[in-house]
């Protein structure tokens, strides 16, 4: 029993470190200042989802980390729930809103999973990060290149030790 508790605590700590890394990168001011991602709840949510997709994709590559992947997903949704509560959402509206968040979260995951190349990824990013604003297509292309570079950088990250190296920010 004690071993199970220690494992559980280690997994929780690891998931929290990974969550902090995702949030840290998603909140990088460059996304908002240089690349025009709206600094709104939606814009911040979309950047968290994008970086979560990258991190969870890296975890999916290692079957031994399946439990950590699930723990990280739970941590992300607990943070979404907490954020809604901080905004004053009552318990009566929470279930409906969390369902919308889950639908958006997994819908974006599918869009990114279905983007095999830079052009398709830029299209998905334009739809999600920029709500289809064609004036942001160059920024979406830049962030698309960043996504593929981040995937390569993450391949060398020691996620089992809580390391998520997303590489350099977009240039």
């Amino acid at each position: 029993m004690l071993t199970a508790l220690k494992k559980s605590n280690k997994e929780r700590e690891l998931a929290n470190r990974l969550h902090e890394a995702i949030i840290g990168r998603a909140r990088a001011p460059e996304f908002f200042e240089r690349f025009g991602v709206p600094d709104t709840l939606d814009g911040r949510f979309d950047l968290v989802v994008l970086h979560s997709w990258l991190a969870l994709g890296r975890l999916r590559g290692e079957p031994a980390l399946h439990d950590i992947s699930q723990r990280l997903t739970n941590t992300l949704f607990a943070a979404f729930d907490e954020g809604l509560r901080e905004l004053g959402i009552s318990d009566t509206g929470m279930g409906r809103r969390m369902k919308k968040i889950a639908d958006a979260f997994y819908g974006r995951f599918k869009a990114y999973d279905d983007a095999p190349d830079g052009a398709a990824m830029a299209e998905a990013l334009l739809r999600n990060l920029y709500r289809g604003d064609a004036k942001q297509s160059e920024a979406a292309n830049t962030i698309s290149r960043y996504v593929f570079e981040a995937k390569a950088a993450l391949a060398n990250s020691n996620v089992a030790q809580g390391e998520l190296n997303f590489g350099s920010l977009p240039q």
Side-chain angles (χ1 to χ4, degrees), residues 4-57:
L5 285 175
K6 282 183 181 179
K7 180 182 178 194
S8 179
N9 284 339
K10 283 181 82 171
E11 286 178 350
R12 183 176 23 265
E13 289 171 13
L14 177 55
N16 286 336
R17 278 198 309 274
L18 296 173
H19 178 254
E20 288 172 13
I22 290 167
I23 299 302
R25 179 48 69 101
R27 296 292 186 258
E30 289 84 352
F31 290 112
F32 307 104
E33 296 167 0
R34 289 183 53 211
F35 299 104
V37 174
D39 192 4
T40 62
L41 284 175
D42 286 341
R44 290 182 295 234
F45 172 78
D46 281 314
L47 284 170
V48 169
V49 172
L50 176 64
H51 288 89
S52 297
W53 173 77
L54 287 164
L56 288 166

Side-chain angles (χ1 to χ4, degrees), residues 12-146:
R12 183 176 23 265
E13 289 171 13
L14 177 55
N16 286 336
R17 278 198 309 274
L18 296 173
H19 178 254
E20 288 172 13
I22 290 167
I23 299 302
R25 179 48 69 101
R27 296 292 186 258
E30 289 84 352
F31 290 112
F32 307 104
E33 296 167 0
R34 289 183 53 211
F35 299 104
V37 174
D39 192 4
T40 62
L41 284 175
D42 286 341
R44 290 182 295 234
F45 172 78
D46 281 314
L47 284 170
V48 169
V49 172
L50 176 64
H51 288 89
S52 297
W53 173 77
L54 287 164
L56 288 166
R58 172 63 177 86
L59 288 168
R60 266 184 290 197
E62 292 190 38
L65 296 176
H66 174 76
D67 290 347
I68 300 302
S69 177
Q70 186 58 56
R71 177 87 62 166
L72 176 57
T73 302
N74 294 347
T75 301
L76 286 161
F77 276 87
F80 294 149
D81 181 276
E82 184 178 315
L84 288 175
R85 290 181 190 282
E86 287 176 4
L87 290 172
I89 304 302
S90 69
D91 285 342
T92 57
M94 191 59 73
R96 179 176 41 83
R97 292 186 194 247
M98 286 304 292
K99 179 169 179 356
K100 279 185 174 182
I101 286 174
D103 289 346
F105 185 87
Y106 290 112
R108 283 157 177 76
F109 268 44
K110 179 163 178 17
Y112 300 146
D113 281 340
D114 291 347
D117 58 30
M121 180 60 71
E123 205 173 291
L125 293 167
L126 188 64
R127 250 188 345 268
N128 293 312
L129 288 178
Y130 300 105
R131 302 298 187 261
D133 182 358
K135 292 181 280 187
Q136 297 292 349
S137 58
E138 188 173 322
N141 284 323
T142 301
I143 294 177
S144 174
R145 285 190 299 277
Y146 160 76

